[in-house]
Amino acid sequence: MEVMDSMGSSAVVVHPMDATNGDNGVNGTEGLTASPMTTSAPMKTSDTPMDTMETQLETQTVIQMVSEMVGQSVSHWCEPKSRYQRKTCTEMAVKLWRVLQTINGFHKSRQELHQKVSNQMLSEFNVKLNDNRINQLIETAIDDKLITAEETDDSQIRYVANFDRQLFGEVSTDWLCFECHLAVEDRMLIGCTTCFRAFHPQCLKVKVNPNSYECGYCERLVQRDTTLKVNQIPKALLNKCICLLLNNLELSFDSQMTTNYEVDSTPRAQVFVFKAMDLLTIREKATNGMYDSLQEVVNDFKHFQHNYMVCVDSEFKRKLKEVLELEKKFTHEVKELTLCVDCYVYSSDIGFDISDKPYDWFTLVCSPPHELVFAKFGKYPYWPGKVINRSPNGKTYDIRFFDAPEFSRALIPDIKCRPIEGFKYEEDDELELPVQLLEEHIRKINEKGLQFVQTVKTPPIRTSAKKRANMDTDAAQRPAKRSKKSTDSSMN
């Protein structure tokens, strides 16, 4: 349903059930399959201003009718001029800018200009658009204030790109979806009531109330798992861990590509990036001890990644693949920090190259101490190690071995793990140093008066059915042999 505001522009009034029952969109940064452009006819706008009072009455009547139908107010998300709503696809906007730059100059009529835009779109980008689609694209870009129409006294016209974000007015929520990172012409945005993020209803995995929606990023800030040690440590230690995490990221990748881009770094970023965020800002916040939880850092990193995703500037696109790889590394580092804060600090606070670290860092005691086991991996003998994590069903152990200097990790089935107490390991020269490190670690645990919980049990001795059958056969044959032997001896 479309209504006209007092300036002749249109706003879409969507039935809330239509908004929340759409298909699920993409998650995170994985591609969007649906086309961001619709095939409907261009939206008609009035060439002359409409009567203000009459339009407002019509608008209020429509909204009131829809509200009565669904039994709730929809003014928060569909009232005209409630907030800036962008609908032009970012990639199409950039293509349109390039085309307008190529055909720069005034033209005698809109029809002539639109035809040149259509021809240039086809020749430069192989994008074929009919007259209706070209009209719709240009009108939507003008409504979104991404291009401006300029006319001369003799009615000649041209379109120019707009890079002035002040034309968007005072905006409190992002103009692009935080999930798909796009503006889609036929989708409204739902703004979070707590933060600046906005989402397409179709991109959310669950149905939400558009009038009181709080995004998952804000919910996780409040509903964080207080059982995790990383959520219990002092604020100063948390911010130190975040600095160590950033050190690992920057040593894994080109740090310059993650810190150079701010909201005003390019003209296009001015238009696409709603709020600036980069790793340099995250580091400054951590250095100044501003983070209260790990989830805040995760939210800031996702914000930084979103800024890269929405920018289609060539310089941003060139780095986008590296940013996605950086996101995988970041997720890994957060997981490691969540598993054990002490291990993360011990392993990160000395240096990045793990082969250069003193062996004794691995003998330091965590709180609480890790379970100690001997585990069998591949062709290697049973090797001492620490249990870093266990699978939910307890059948698999994440073990970090006492194999200096690498201190490698592996997932080991529980049937291949043995408790250290009373276990007789193989006499092997390769095990000499690992066993020394294990004994040193146990000594430090005892000095602190601590102990670890032993969950690994010595499995019972099991024999296969075939082996038991052979044993039974042997047992049955032995008396017969002795009987025959004794008989032979008696005959002699």
Side-chain angles (χ1 to χ4, degrees):
M1 185 184 302
E2 295 184 359
V3 295
M4 308 296 294
D5 68 7
S6 59
M7 297 304 295
S9 60
S10 66
V12 181
V13 179
V14 184
H15 193 292
M17 295 302 293
D18 294 336
T20 55
N21 287 343
D23 296 334
N24 288 334
V26 297
N27 181 19
T29 59
E30 298 178 2
L32 185 69
T33 56
S35 171
M37 301 293 290
T38 62
T39 57
S40 59
M43 187 166 48
K44 295 181 179 180
T45 58
S46 174
D47 294 330
T48 60
M50 299 179 63
D51 182 77
T52 304
M53 182 175 295
E54 181 181 352
T55 305
Q56 289 178 349
L57 288 174
E58 289 180 347
T59 301
Q60 292 298 328
T61 302
V62 171
I63 293 176
Q64 189 174 11
M65 289 172 58
V66 176
S67 300
E68 292 174 354
M69 290 170 59
V70 300
Q72 61 178 340
S73 172
V74 294
S75 61
H76 172 73
W77 61 304
C78 66
E79 183 179 358
K81 298 196 296 184
S82 60
R83 62 187 177 89
Y84 176 78
Q85 292 270 357
R86 183 174 296 178
K87 297 180 180 180
T88 307
C89 171
T90 52
E91 189 171 357
M92 289 300 294
V94 171
K95 290 178 180 178
L96 181 59
W97 285 340
R98 290 183 58 179
V99 166
L100 294 177
Q101 185 178 16
T102 302
I103 62 174
N104 185 34
F106 287 92
H107 297 75
K108 295 181 179 179
S109 65
R110 291 178 184 268
Q111 184 177 2
E112 177 188 352
L113 177 55
H114 289 196
Q115 186 61 48
K116 284 192 176 183
V117 172
S118 179
N119 295 338
Q120 191 64 29
M121 278 280 191
L122 182 61
S123 62
E124 189 169 351
F125 302 107
N126 197 28
V127 175
K128 188 176 181 179
L129 301 174
N130 58 31
D131 293 343
N132 287 342
R133 294 299 305 279
I134 283 292
N135 293 340
Q136 186 178 24
L137 173 61
I138 292 177
E139 288 179 5
T140 305
I142 291 175
D143 289 341
D144 289 344
K145 300 179 177 60
L146 297 177
I147 63 174
T148 304
E150 296 181 351
E151 294 189 41
T152 62
D153 294 337
D154 56 352
S155 299
Q156 294 191 50
I157 186 171
R158 72 172 180 178
Y159 300 124
V160 294
N162 167 45
F163 299 117
D164 184 5
R165 62 188 288 126
Q166 293 183 356
L167 294 179
F168 304 145
E170 295 293 331
V171 187
S172 59
T173 55
D174 203 330
W175 41 68
L176 298 173
C177 176
F178 214 80
E179 281 292 323
C180 69
H181 315 290
L182 295 172
V184 183
E185 198 166 352
D186 59 347
R187 293 183 181 182
M188 299 295 290
L189 282 171
I190 296 177
C192 176
T193 57
T194 304
C195 71
F196 68 94
R197 298 174 181 86
F199 303 84
H200 295 130
Q202 296 88 340
C203 291
L204 298 174
K205 294 181 179 180
V206 295
K207 295 180 180 180
V208 299
N209 183 352
N211 290 313
S212 58
Y213 172 64
E214 186 176 51
C215 71
Y217 295 94
C218 295
E219 287 181 348
R220 287 188 288 272
L221 282 177
V222 179
Q223 302 173 0
R224 60 189 185 214
D225 188 356
T226 56
T227 62
L228 296 176
K229 184 178 178 180
V230 71
N231 292 329
Q232 301 173 355
I233 61 177
K235 186 176 179 178
L237 178 57
L238 171 65
N239 284 273
K240 177 183 178 180
C241 290
I242 296 170
C243 290
L244 295 175
L245 185 152
L246 295 174
N247 289 342
N248 290 344
L249 287 183
E250 293 180 357
L251 288 167
S252 299
F253 294 88
D254 178 12
S255 61
Q256 292 301 314
M257 71 93 180
T258 62
T259 58
N260 281 351
Y261 298 110
E262 298 178 358
V263 67
D264 58 349
S265 59
T266 65
R268 292 175 184 174
Q270 282 270 11
V271 176
F272 295 132
V273 174
F274 175 77
K275 184 179 180 181
M277 178 57 65
D278 52 30
L279 290 190
L280 182 59
T281 303
I282 297 176
R283 178 176 289 280
E284 289 177 352
K285 292 175 67 175
T287 303
N288 295 327
M290 298 175 62
Y291 285 110
D292 293 314
S293 69
L294 184 60
Q295 186 60 45
E296 291 182 38
V297 188
V298 174
N299 288 0
D300 280 351
F301 186 89
K302 290 295 184 180
H303 180 190
F304 152 75
Q305 186 183 12
H306 171 70
N307 287 353
Y308 263 91
M309 296 296 293
V310 303
C311 283
V312 291
D313 184 273
S314 59
E315 189 67 17
F316 279 88
K317 268 196 165 183
R318 184 174 65 85
K319 296 293 187 180
L320 181 56
K321 184 177 180 180
E322 296 178 8
V323 172
L324 296 179
E325 290 296 322
L326 189 70
E327 193 268 341
K328 295 179 181 179
K329 176 67 175 175
F330 176 81
T331 302
H332 171 76
E333 294 293 327
V334 169
K335 181 181 178 181
E336 292 298 299
L337 178 56
T338 303
L339 287 176
C340 181
V341 175
D342 294 325
C343 279
Y344 196 84
V345 173
Y346 296 155
S347 61
S348 302
D349 205 14
I350 302 173
F352 181 74
D353 188 356
I354 199 169
S355 62
D356 293 338
K357 297 175 183 177
Y359 293 166
D360 63 353
W361 80 265
F362 197 61
T363 66
L364 299 176
V365 181
C366 300
S367 178
H370 292 283
E371 180 179 359
L372 303 176
V373 296
F374 277 90
K376 185 77 169 65
F377 177 72
K379 64 180 180 179
Y380 297 98
Y382 276 90
W383 209 280
K386 298 179 183 179
V387 177
I388 305 300
N389 194 23
R390 288 189 294 272
S391 62
N393 60 7
K395 298 295 184 181
T396 305
Y397 287 75
D398 179 2
I399 296 177
R400 192 163 194 172
F401 293 97
F402 286 87
D403 61 336
E406 290 82 8
F407 301 108
S408 55
R409 295 267 291 273
L411 297 176
I412 308 296
D414 61 338
I415 60 175
K416 293 189 176 182
C417 298
R418 302 290 184 269
I420 61 169
E421 186 175 355
F423 181 77
K424 296 182 179 180
Y425 56 87
E426 297 181 20
E427 294 292 339
D428 193 317
D429 291 341
E430 291 182 337
L431 284 172
E432 183 177 354
L433 179 58
V435 171
Q436 289 178 2
L437 294 175
L438 171 65
E439 292 174 347
E440 176 67 14
H441 180 61
I442 295 175
R443 184 185 65 80
K444 291 180 179 179
I445 292 177
N446 294 333
E447 285 180 351
K448 291 191 173 185
L450 301 174
Q451 59 182 1
F452 59 87
V453 177
Q454 188 77 67
T455 63
V456 174
K457 307 297 181 183
T458 302
I461 299 176
R462 299 176 181 177
T463 55
S464 64
K466 184 176 180 180
K467 188 173 182 179
R468 287 197 301 270
N470 293 335
M471 292 172 62
D472 293 341
T473 302
D474 293 342
Q477 291 177 352
R478 287 191 192 105
K481 289 181 180 179
R482 288 196 296 271
S483 175
K484 183 178 180 181
K485 184 176 180 181
S486 60
T487 304
D488 293 340
S489 60
S490 61
M491 290 177 63
N492 293 331

